[in-house]
């Protein structure tokens, strides 16, 4: 690809960065929703009530986390997306995969922030509604970590030891399950930015905004309680889709 003199340099750099990962699709995870006036991404309602995850996560935390934090990422993502020259053929996932170090962090932080939170809400279900890992996922967890409990320990450790703000992840990487973590709003789709690339199956937000109202500094207590609201049915489906 040679520079097009009619494109501003910034746009050319963006196009180059996206070329590797630009999947052809409409506006990613927001494609099913009516576009907001200012851009294609909008805040979807939670798939359950604000208080549905209590006592693991309190209603006030959910309300602020969804209505203020997640909404904030979307409102900063939309104007950035509007500047992109070929946005019609790009998915958010493709754009995140194409980001490179040294670029503009607006897309990295807010594109990642939107994707991560949309994924997080769908990773949880009210206590008793999330089911158990499917037989296939259970076997894969056992094979990779020796037991489901050992997986939970490894995941909890990744979440607890992530310094500052970030996420813990279970990913499928080259056909194998792996636990990893990322800083800020990075995620394992960001091929050009993170060490462990793979398909996210489960993610846990360990930013203080995710737990501080109820747990204050006790991140480990939040992580421990969170297992009760993991939607294993959803995680199992993601595993099945990623293996296919
Ligand atoms: Mn968050």
């Amino acid at each position: 690809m040679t520079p097009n003199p009619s494109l501003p340099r910034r746009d050319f750099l963006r196009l180059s960065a996206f070329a590797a990962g630009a999947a052809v699709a409409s506006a990613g995870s927001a494609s099913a929703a009516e576009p907001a006036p200012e851009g294609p991404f909008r805040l979807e309602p939670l798939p359950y009530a604000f208080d549905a995850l209590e006592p693991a996560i309190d209603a006030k935390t959910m309300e602020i986390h969804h209505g203020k934090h997640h909404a904030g990422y979307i409102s900063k993502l939309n104007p950035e997306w509007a500047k992109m020259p070929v946005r019609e053929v790009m998915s958010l996932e493709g754009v995140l995969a194409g980001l490179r170090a040294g670029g503009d962090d607006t897309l990295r932080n807010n594109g990642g922030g939107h994707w991560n939170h949309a994924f997080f809400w769908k990773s949880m279900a009210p206590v008793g509604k999330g089911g158990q890992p499917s037989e296939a996922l259970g076997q894969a967890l056992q094979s990779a970590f020796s037991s489901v409990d050992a997986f939970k320990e490894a995941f909890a450790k990744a979440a607890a030891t992530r310094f500052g703000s970030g996420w813990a992840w279970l990913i499928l990487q080259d056909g194998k399950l792996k636990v990893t973590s990322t800083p800020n709003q990075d995620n394992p789709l960001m091929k050009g930015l993170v060490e462990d690339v793979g398909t996210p199956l489960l993610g846990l937000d360990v930013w203080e905004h995710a737990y501080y109202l109820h747990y204050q500094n006790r991140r480990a207590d939040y992580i421990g309680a969170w297992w009760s609201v993991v939607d294993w049915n959803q995680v199992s489906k993601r595993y099945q889709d990623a293996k296919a």
Side-chain angles (χ1 to χ4, degrees):
M1 186 169 176
T2 49
N4 178 341
S6 70
L7 280 179
R9 175 166 167 77
R10 193 164 72 140
D11 287 340
F12 171 70
L13 292 174
R14 283 210 180 99
L15 278 167
S16 312
F18 299 144
V24 176
S26 62
S29 55
S31 58
E34 193 182 325
E38 71 275 22
F41 300 103
R42 59 176 292 167
L43 186 66
E44 301 287 342
L46 287 175
Y48 33 70
F50 290 125
D51 64 359
L53 305 183
E54 290 189 348
I57 306 179
D58 64 283
K60 193 72 181 167
T61 294
M62 288 300 292
E63 196 176 342
I64 296 170
H65 198 175
H66 178 261
K68 302 293 182 192
H69 292 278
H70 187 181
Y73 298 120
I74 294 172
S75 68
K76 292 186 185 77
L77 172 61
N78 276 330
E80 198 63 17
W81 191 267
K83 294 178 198 166
M84 295 204 287
V86 289
R87 58 189 177 273
E88 294 82 3
V89 295
M90 297 164 113
S91 66
L92 180 58
E93 289 83 355
V95 167
L96 297 180
L99 294 173
R100 296 293 179 266
D104 182 350
D105 281 345
T106 310
L107 268 172
R108 179 179 186 167
N109 293 336
N110 297 292
H114 173 46
W115 194 94
N116 293 349
H117 286 83
F119 183 83
F120 184 51
W121 310 134
K122 291 175 186 165
S123 301
M124 300 185 287
V127 176
K129 304 280 187 190
Q132 295 298 322
S134 66
E135 196 179 334
L137 177 60
Q139 282 173 3
L141 288 169
Q142 201 170 340
S143 163
F145 302 97
S146 84
S147 69
V148 174
D149 283 346
F151 152 69
K152 287 185 178 178
E153 273 177 43
F155 187 99
K157 187 181 175 191
T161 58
R162 164 50 54 193
F163 183 74
S165 299
W167 293 74
W169 304 96
L170 172 68
I171 61 172
L172 188 68
Q173 180 184 71
D174 301 326
K176 289 180 185 166
L177 295 179
K178 184 167 188 179
V179 163
T180 187
S181 77
T182 54
N184 305 315
Q185 297 297 352
D186 287 358
N187 69 41
L189 300 173
M190 297 177 176
K191 294 178 187 177
L193 296 171
V194 302
E195 199 175 324
D196 277 320
V197 177
T199 304
L201 305 179
L202 179 63
L204 174 58
D205 188 341
V206 294
W207 283 58
E208 283 188 345
H209 68 225
Y211 63 87
Y212 206 85
L213 276 182
H214 183 70
Y215 293 96
Q216 289 84 49
N217 60 316
R218 302 186 306 277
R219 188 192 283 190
D221 291 354
Y222 159 66
I223 298 165
W226 177 73
W227 292 112
S228 67
V229 293
V230 169
D231 188 350
W232 285 109
N233 297 321
Q234 181 64 246
V235 181
S236 299
K237 186 179 178 303
R238 288 170 181 162
Y239 176 69
Q240 191 180 351
D241 292 347
K243 288 289 276 185

